[in-house]
Amino acid sequence: MSDSLSVNTPTHMRREIEEIPDAVRRLLAEAQPEIGKIASAAGSPVFLASVARGSSDHAAMFLKYASEIYLGLAMASLGPSVSSVYGGKVQLAKALVVAISQSGASPDILSVVESAAKQGATAIGLTNTAGSPLARLSTATIDICAGVEQSVAATKTYVNSVIAGLMLLAEIGNDAELARALEAVPSHLERAIDTDWSVLADPIERRGSLYVVGRGPGLAVANEAALKFKETCQIHAEAYSSAEVLHGPVSIVEDGYPVLVLGVRDAAEAGLAQTADRMAAQGGVVFATTDKVERASRLEFEAAQHPLTDAITQIVSFYAFIEWFARRRGFNPDVPRHLKKVTQTV
């Protein structure tokens, strides 16, 4: 195929994965003063709301769990079409609205931000494009400082969107523990890139489909991983929480069906490990990033200093794996089939 690469060919995606630690360092150094001002101006919102698409929406899901677990503030995921297609007016006057878009140009995202601004809500734009329409419409903008990303498959922009959002939440909640963990995360990310997840390849290749399972912040990472399997490798993957997978989907996990379980070191880890072991007992080939499994296979992972940063290191390990796996399958992860870097939807 014309867009295929050999397993040894360097890609933009691999280069951008290797740039992630420094991109995070740059964000931590350059964005903190502005984020502090934004948090002060936001005051005490009644609730948070997010609007995003694709990988950016997975970043928003990550922030939802962070907000609800660590701040105690509900965070709703807004359907962009409610505003852009149906003309609905969701009541957002008392919300802190977080819009996440690499390009800052998708019309449906912009319609929600415009509606929120007209209601007097505080709308924060997280974008990698200074001067974008999102930056102009938002009450305030956080430049995620990821730098140019050429690969269609988002990597460093996803990570920096999550980090920027966590920096904002740490400021709003005056969470010194999270702030310290964020400062330490670049060195963990450097080690995470070098973890070897190639053991996943053969079981997934044999079946051409898999589940990716997580809980809490790990579920947000699972959604991002499932997208990348489809986007870069033409492999069908579905993401489930370790609770939801038991409500039906678990029935097909047998006869070598592969499962990737992303566990972080938080209150959900023990239950997630039990679910992993149950699926392994049914005949699934189950790999899990936790030391608590007994029947499932432990997958190498880089543990960080906080459950939230723990989850971030795992998506970076996954990115390194999926870039290699795409090339092994003969695909160029920089230019997935039928996709463009900037997708504008209404």
Side-chain angles (χ1 to χ4, degrees):
M1 60 191 69
S2 61
D3 61 352
S4 65
L5 290 177
S6 77
V7 74
N8 296 316
T9 303
T11 64
H12 292 306
M13 186 178 180
R14 177 65 196 192
R15 175 179 53 78
E16 288 159 3
I17 292 166
E18 292 174 352
E19 290 173 359
I20 290 173
D22 283 340
V24 173
R25 288 189 181 97
R26 184 166 58 247
L27 173 64
L28 292 167
E30 297 181 8
Q32 187 60 53
E34 182 64 21
I35 289 175
K37 293 177 185 177
I38 291 171
S40 296
S44 301
V46 175
F47 68 101
L48 281 70
S50 68
V51 57
R53 293 282 192 197
S55 288
S56 293
D57 196 37
H58 301 154
M61 177 187 284
F62 195 110
L63 299 179
K64 170 184 173 66
Y65 280 106
S67 178
E68 294 178 359
I69 294 170
Y70 295 95
L71 281 185
L73 288 176
M75 188 169 187
S77 175
L78 302 174
S81 63
V82 171
S83 174
S84 64
V85 175
Y86 296 100
K89 303 296 181 186
V90 179
Q91 298 301 307
L92 297 170
K94 297 182 180 180
L96 175 62
V97 178
V98 179
I100 308 175
S101 172
Q102 298 169 36
S103 68
S106 190
D108 50 357
I109 305 299
L110 298 176
S111 71
V112 176
V113 174
E114 186 173 23
S115 175
K118 287 180 178 178
Q119 295 178 47
T122 299
I124 310 301
L126 273 62
T127 182
N128 200 41
T129 308
S132 65
L134 176 60
R136 294 195 297 271
L137 285 174
S138 298
T139 309
T141 306
I142 299 173
D143 184 344
I144 65 170
C145 301
V148 175
E149 187 174 66
Q150 293 180 268
S151 176
V152 170
T155 54
K156 61 180 180 175
T157 51
Y158 171 83
V159 173
N160 273 33
S161 293
V162 172
I163 296 290
L166 291 179
M167 291 169 69
L168 178 63
L169 295 183
E171 285 287 336
I172 292 173
N174 195 27
D175 190 333
E177 181 182 1
L178 176 56
R180 286 192 298 271
L182 290 171
E183 290 293 334
V185 80
S187 59
H188 290 292
L189 297 179
E190 288 175 339
R191 291 188 288 272
I193 292 170
D194 293 330
T195 56
D196 182 4
W197 285 15
S198 61
V199 67
L200 297 170
D202 287 343
I204 295 171
E205 195 82 70
R206 283 194 293 269
R207 293 298 291 262
S209 182
L210 77 154
Y211 287 161
V212 189
V213 175
R215 194 79 188 266
L219 176 58
V221 172
N223 274 273
E224 173 64 2
L227 171 64
K228 289 296 187 288
F229 271 113
K230 289 175 279 204
E231 184 179 32
T232 67
C233 296
Q234 301 289 301
I235 291 284
H236 176 257
E238 291 187 75
Y240 288 103
S241 81
S242 57
E244 193 63 36
V245 76
L246 299 179
H247 289 265
V250 73
S251 64
I252 70 171
V253 179
E254 58 185 7
D255 299 329
Y257 190 86
V259 183
L260 170 60
V261 178
L262 299 173
V264 298
R265 271 123 298 284
D266 64 9
E269 184 182 12
L272 182 138
Q274 290 173 0
T275 299
D277 284 336
R278 170 177 166 174
M279 290 187 289
Q282 291 179 199
V285 179
V286 184
F287 299 92
T289 57
T290 170
D291 293 327
K292 295 184 180 295
V293 288
E294 296 179 358
R295 302 192 66 155
S297 298
R298 180 192 181 278
L299 193 63
E300 180 183 359
F301 60 89
E302 169 68 18
Q305 298 179 12
H306 191 285
L308 294 174
T309 55
D310 212 21
I312 296 167
T313 64
Q314 292 186 27
I315 196 59
V316 172
S317 296
F318 173 80
Y319 284 153
F321 161 74
I322 203 68
E323 186 273 344
W324 168 83
F325 189 44
R327 288 185 291 111
R328 183 179 119 146
R329 285 177 55 79
F331 294 105
N332 183 348
D334 290 339
V335 285
R337 292 177 178 178
H338 315 304
L339 295 175
K340 298 185 295 183
K341 182 61 179 171
V342 177
T343 302
Q344 294 188 339
T345 49
V346 176

